[in-house]
């Protein structure tokens, strides 16, 4: 069982959460200006990190709020959580 510390509710079982997309992968300001190739890269090309990776997460069975996690993909361990808009915490 993996515990994820929701910034509003505290530690909860991972079954209460919904995994979201990569964090800090900002939507293009004007998608209509992108070529098909650029739009495709935005939609389908993401970092495939082996180690700490910033992700979005939703506490779907709790407060239903979105927040960011830093998860070590090699060990499936949550290293940090923070609310969207707050600075990304330092991780080792
Ligand atoms: Zn919550």
């Amino acid at each position: 069982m993996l515990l994820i510390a929701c910034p509003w509710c505290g530690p909860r079982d991972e079954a209460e959460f919904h995994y979201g997309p990569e964090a800090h992968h900002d939507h293009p300001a004007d998608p209509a200006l992108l070529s098909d190739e650029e739009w495709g890269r935005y939609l389908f090309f993401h970092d495939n990190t082996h180690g700490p990776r910033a992700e979005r997460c939703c506490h779907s069975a709790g407060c239903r709020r979105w927040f960011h996690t830093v998860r070590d993909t090699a060990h499936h361990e949550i290293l940090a959580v923070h609310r969207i808009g707050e600075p990304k915490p330092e991780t080792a």
Side-chain angles (χ1 to χ4, degrees):
M1 176 177 74
L2 177 67
L3 288 178
I4 299 175
C6 172
W8 292 273
C9 306
R12 298 289 194 273
D13 188 293
E14 66 179 309
E16 294 186 12
F17 295 86
H18 180 88
Y19 175 79
E22 178 182 3
H24 313 294
H25 187 72
D26 297 330
H27 192 273
D30 192 350
L33 296 178
L34 299 180
S35 68
D36 288 346
E37 181 178 340
E38 290 168 328
W39 183 244
R41 287 194 170 280
Y42 167 73
L43 291 176
F44 302 113
F45 287 77
H46 301 275
D47 290 340
N48 189 15
T49 306
H50 184 77
R53 179 176 192 260
E55 300 171 326
R56 290 185 185 185
C57 193
C58 179
H59 192 185
S60 52
C63 64
R64 303 183 63 150
R65 292 180 176 167
W66 285 90
F67 59 95
H68 287 170
T69 64
V70 179
R71 182 175 63 91
D72 185 332
T73 60
H75 301 98
H76 191 47
E77 177 184 359
I78 303 294
L79 303 175
V81 297
H82 65 98
R83 296 176 185 190
I84 293 175
E86 291 180 342
K88 185 177 168 183
E90 293 292 324
T91 55

